[in-house]
């Protein structure tokens, strides 16, 4: 398995090749009549790719991985870290949210990947695990203490490998090896330098750790499925194929679901594939509830309203969506623009995988808790999972005479839903994240902006930062600031929680602690939809750990 990083982390990078492998470009190449599969995995993102890799380590298991999108290989905008914002719509689902009441009825484009590797082939490559409290919360929510920071920590380590930054730069002092000259941090009482964001205590000014290796993006498609993995005779990867429904067995008295209906993206050809052991859904926080609801698994009344026959009343499918929202503020600075010569930089990258194109989001980020004496805590209970969980992430970008700050709320109280609009499984889901529908979130953004302001008020920035340009919650009238926030906030594309784990026997939730769909035999979910609350981190690391644990759970069952 794989490779993460320059400023850190990495799935072992292995060159990937379609030449000597069972990678099928379309459904027409699949002969399901001649070959049977022990495990069928729907979705080739982080969850599906990791599980496919781990299960196919056992030569006795025959594994089929189905991905709706094309291969990631040969796409320069995917491979070059700095080009991630250039990735075209071929590799995206093209989702758009419903009009958001909390955002002045704006609908936001939602950039979810449709390509092998899923969002790990499409994201900003930041690798942060979150706080130890986040994962201990999973244990409390699921009623199973095997979900905790302590028990998941070995799974983080399993799929990581520290690799040096491009060009051989010495990264000493930018991470703490046991968990795998920043003057303003030293003088700031609020935000201290944190040697390693992935220690379980992420708060502070941190060096970015990223899923980049040898100057290239290291996605799940590269790390989990690269090199000799694709050459395994017991692993088949089927591309450009949509899963439309999961289907119950007609031969079992208990609801037994191991069959998936699939359709070719190009030709519309339709067929079914049945797993002998388990069907594993890894469609992500939108794709998984969309598939389950189209299959008749969800709230019975809501399904009947769109003429879908209910086969299992599981009302929490598609509920509990949480995500990270971000808002931009800016400062004026005494500096000049230093543009990158993209042509020369690309030539350097193509020659030896070094230079400015080997990074995506800069070198440093800040994580901070809102001060405990902040007025909002007199009105609202602190939603953080514990004292190690930051409320706010701030990323800073210098553009010469202007400095941008992106303030993200990591602990939102707002919740949303994923629903279906019709009984046509090829119609897009209705995605309603419910942004800024809880009053805590609006107040928390104001506190986050104040934290960012205080950072640049330090003496180190005298003569560099000349003015705060806002929007400023301390000078604008409340209504004017609130309107600016609602008009300008955008998503960081970190959705979770739409098929959440919960205790065995509990009527709420969608999955039991072993990630099995409640009330169903043979069907398991392994992706971000299982995560009950959005972690105080960029979500890919959490999904990698979840998928590693899921692989062990599945192996133990068989």
């Amino acid at each position: 398995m794989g490779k993460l990083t320059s400023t850190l982390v990495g799935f072992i990078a292995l060159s990937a090749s379609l030449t000597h492998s069972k990678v099928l470009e379309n459904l027409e190449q699949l002969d399901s009549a001649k070959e049977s599969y022990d495990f069928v995995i729907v979705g080739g993102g982080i969850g599906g790719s990791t599980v496919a890799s781990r299960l196919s380590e056992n030569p006795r298991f025959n594994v089929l991985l189905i991905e709706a999108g094309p291969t990631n290989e040969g796409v320069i905008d995917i491979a070059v870290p700095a080009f991630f914002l250039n990735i075209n719509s071929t590799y995206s689902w093209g989702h758009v949210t419903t009009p958001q009441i909390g955002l002045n009825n704006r609908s936001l484009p939602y950039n979810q990947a449709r390509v092998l590797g899923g969002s790990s082939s499409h994201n900003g490559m930041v690798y942060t695990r979150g706080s130890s409290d986040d994962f201990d919360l999973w244990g409390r929510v699921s009623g199973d203490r095997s979900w905790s920071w302590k028990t998941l920590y070995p799974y983080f380590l399993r799929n990581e490998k520290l690799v040096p930054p491009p060009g051989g730069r010495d990264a000493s002092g930018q991470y703490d090896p046991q968990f795998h000259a920043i003057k303003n941090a030293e003088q700031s009482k609020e935000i201290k330098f944190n040697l390693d964001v992935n220690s379980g205590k992420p708060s502070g000014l941190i060096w970015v750790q990223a899923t980049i290796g040898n100057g290239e993006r290291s996605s799940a498609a590269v790390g989990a499925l690269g090199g000799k993995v694709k050459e395994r005779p017991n692993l088949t990867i089927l591309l450009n194929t949509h899963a439309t429904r999961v289907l119950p067995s007609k031969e079992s008295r208990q609801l037994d679901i191991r069959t998936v209906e699939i359709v070719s993206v190009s030709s519309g050809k339709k067929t079914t594939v049945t797993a002998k052991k388990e069907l594993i859904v890894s469609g992500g926080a939108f794709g998984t509830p969309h598939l389950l609801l189209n299959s008749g698994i969800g709230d019975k009344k809501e399904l009947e309203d769109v003429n879908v026959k209910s086969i299992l009343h599981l009302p929490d499918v598609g509920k509990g969506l949480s995500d990270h929202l971000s808002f931009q503020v800016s400062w004026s600075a005494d500096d000049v623009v230093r543009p990158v010569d993209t042509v020369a930089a690309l030539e350097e990258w193509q020659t030896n995988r070094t230079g400015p194109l080997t990074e995506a989001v800069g070198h440093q980020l800040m994580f901070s808790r809102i001060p405990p004496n902040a007025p909002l805590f007199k009105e609202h209970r602190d939603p953080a999972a514990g004292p190690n969980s930051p409320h706010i992430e701030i990323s800073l970008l210098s553009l010469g005479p202007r400095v941008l700050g992106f303030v993200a709320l990591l602990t939102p109280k707002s919740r949303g839903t994923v629903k279906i609009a019709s009984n046509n499984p090829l119609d897009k889901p209705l995605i309603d994240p419910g942004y800024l529908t809880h009053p805590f979130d609006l107040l928390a953004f104001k506190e986050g902006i104040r934290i960012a302001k205080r950072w640049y008020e330090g003496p180190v920035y005298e003569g560099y930062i000349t003015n705060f340009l806002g929007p400023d919650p301390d000078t604008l009238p409340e209504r004017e600031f609130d309107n600016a926030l609602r008009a300008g906030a955008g998503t960081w594309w970190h959705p979770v929680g739409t098929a959440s784990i919960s205790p065995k026997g509990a009527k709420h939730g969608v999955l039991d602690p072993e990630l099995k769909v409640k009330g169903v035999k043979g069907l398991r979910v392994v992706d971000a939809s299982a995560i009950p609350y959005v972690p105080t981190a960029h979500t890919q690391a959490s999904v990698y750990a979840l998928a590693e644990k899921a692989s062990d759970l599945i192996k133990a069952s068989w």
Side-chain angles (χ1 to χ4, degrees):
M1 287 254 321
K3 189 170 193 165
L4 295 170
T5 208
S6 92
T7 348
L8 163 72
V9 192
F11 283 113
I12 303 161
L14 298 168
S15 60
S17 171
L18 294 176
T19 308
H20 303 292
S21 58
K22 295 167 64 178
V23 178
L24 311 180
E25 292 293 339
N26 53 59
L27 181 56
E28 286 73 16
Q29 296 176 6
L30 179 72
D31 191 347
S32 56
K34 287 187 177 180
E35 189 156 12
S36 62
Y37 301 96
D38 297 292
F39 299 98
V40 175
I41 303 168
V42 178
I46 292 173
S49 294
T50 301
V51 172
S53 180
R54 292 303 184 196
L55 293 181
S56 62
E57 288 173 343
N58 186 336
R60 296 188 298 106
F61 293 157
N62 202 18
V63 179
L64 173 65
L65 175 63
I66 302 169
E67 165 55 39
T71 181
N72 61 300
E73 294 184 23
V75 184
I76 195 165
D77 288 342
I78 291 177
V80 177
F83 286 175
F84 76 101
L85 292 176
N86 300 340
I87 299 172
N88 68 51
S89 59
T90 300
Y91 307 99
S92 173
W93 283 101
H95 292 317
V96 178
T97 71
T98 61
Q100 294 297 287
I101 295 173
L103 300 182
N104 292 346
N105 287 318
R106 288 187 297 137
S107 294
L108 301 186
Y110 212 105
N111 201 10
Q112 287 291 95
R114 191 181 67 88
V115 61
L116 192 63
S119 291
S120 70
S121 291
H122 210 282
N123 61 16
M125 291 153 279
V126 175
Y127 186 84
T128 53
R129 297 171 182 160
S131 83
S132 58
D133 299 326
D134 293 339
F135 300 97
D136 290 341
L137 178 63
W138 292 14
R140 296 195 297 274
V141 168
S142 67
D144 185 337
R145 296 301 173 135
S146 71
W147 293 100
S148 70
W149 171 257
K150 183 178 180 180
T151 56
L152 286 169
Y153 188 74
Y155 291 114
F156 285 116
L157 299 181
R158 177 183 289 183
N159 66 19
E160 295 177 10
K161 180 184 178 183
L162 290 168
V163 297
R169 177 173 58 83
D170 184 3
S172 300
Q174 297 181 12
Y175 66 94
D176 190 334
Q178 72 170 312
F179 301 114
H180 359 232
I182 313 299
K183 293 182 180 178
N184 204 46
E186 294 171 2
Q187 64 87 37
S188 172
K189 294 180 179 179
E190 186 169 21
I191 300 176
K192 305 291 186 181
F193 175 61
N194 182 349
L195 180 58
D196 200 306
V197 67
N198 287 318
S199 65
K201 297 179 180 181
S203 291
L205 178 68
I206 63 96
W207 288 102
V208 171
Q209 302 179 11
T211 48
I212 300 169
N214 189 34
E216 299 182 30
R217 175 191 294 271
S218 182
S219 67
V222 174
L225 299 176
K228 295 187 181 300
V229 175
K230 280 182 178 174
E231 298 177 14
R232 293 173 184 167
N234 61 328
L235 174 62
T236 301
I237 300 171
L238 174 60
L239 302 173
N240 301 302
T241 303
H242 283 165
T244 50
R245 294 184 298 165
V246 295
L247 304 173
S249 168
K250 297 179 181 179
E251 301 175 358
S252 177
R253 293 183 179 180
Q254 180 183 355
L255 187 58
D256 189 322
I257 297 179
R258 302 168 200 260
T259 298
V260 61
E261 178 184 78
I262 52 179
V263 59
S264 170
V265 171
S266 58
S267 70
K269 175 186 176 181
K270 185 184 295 185
T271 190
T272 61
V273 180
T274 300
K276 291 191 292 184
K277 290 181 167 61
E278 286 190 28
L279 177 62
I280 300 158
V281 176
S282 300
F286 299 155
T288 286
H290 187 235
L291 181 62
L292 294 178
L293 292 169
N294 276 298
S295 305
I297 301 172
D299 184 280
K300 183 176 181 181
K301 183 181 183 309
E302 291 179 3
L303 293 173
E304 290 173 347
D305 288 343
V306 291
N307 297 316
V308 172
K309 180 181 178 182
S310 173
I311 63 172
L312 176 65
H313 179 57
L314 205 57
D316 282 347
V317 173
K319 308 301 197 307
L321 171 63
S322 61
D323 188 18
H324 290 150
L325 200 64
S326 173
F327 184 58
Q328 179 185 308
V329 293
S330 64
W331 296 259
S332 58
D334 185 10
D335 201 355
V336 296
V337 176
R338 298 177 178 84
V340 173
D341 183 339
T342 305
V343 174
L346 181 57
E347 183 178 353
E348 179 180 0
W349 184 87
Q350 291 174 323
T351 301
N352 53 28
R353 298 300 192 264
T354 61
L357 301 187
T358 61
E359 65 177 41
V361 298
H363 293 293
Q364 293 177 310
L365 300 172
M366 291 187 289
F367 292 86
S368 180
R369 286 183 61 80
I370 295 171
N373 61 350
L376 81 170
F377 290 131
K378 295 179 180 178
E379 303 177 45
H380 303 281
R381 185 177 178 181
D382 185 352
N388 293 328
S389 295
H391 301 99
I392 300 294
E393 178 180 344
I394 303 170
S395 58
L396 301 171
L397 176 63
S398 177
L399 299 176
R402 196 173 185 209
V403 173
L404 305 182
F406 298 90
V407 178
L409 176 59
L410 302 180
T411 57
K413 286 199 172 190
S414 299
R415 295 291 181 269
T417 61
V418 175
K419 298 183 178 181
I420 54 175
S422 72
N423 60 2
N424 181 352
L426 295 179
D427 284 349
K428 291 185 180 298
L430 298 174
I431 300 167
D432 178 10
Y435 294 128
L436 296 183
T437 53
H438 194 288
F440 171 86
D441 295 1
L442 200 68
L443 296 172
F445 265 110
K446 295 177 182 180
E447 294 298 332
I449 292 168
R450 292 179 180 124
I451 291 169
K453 286 171 60 181
R454 290 193 291 271
W455 172 260
Y456 273 136
E457 288 169 358
V460 169
Y461 291 105
E462 289 181 8
Y464 173 65
I465 295 294
T466 57
N467 190 33
F468 180 57
L469 302 176
D472 192 340
D474 298 318
T475 59
L476 290 176
E478 182 177 10
R479 180 173 292 183
E480 186 176 343
F481 174 82
D482 290 354
N483 185 65
L485 176 60
R486 296 182 189 281
T491 176
W492 269 8
W493 305 302
H494 294 161
V496 304
T498 50
S500 176
I501 54 174
S502 62
K504 280 189 176 181
K507 292 184 179 180
H508 66 277
V510 177
L511 311 176
D512 70 16
E514 293 188 338
L515 304 177
K516 297 176 180 177
V517 176
K518 292 187 170 188
V520 181
K521 185 179 180 182
L523 184 63
R524 212 181 294 242
V525 171
V526 182
D527 59 36
S529 68
I531 298 173
Y533 300 99
V534 66
T536 55
H538 298 243
T539 47
Q540 65 168 338
S542 299
V543 181
Y544 275 118
L546 180 144
E548 290 285 7
K549 178 176 170 64
S551 299
D552 278 0
L553 290 171
I554 296 166
K555 289 177 180 179
S557 298
W558 301 98

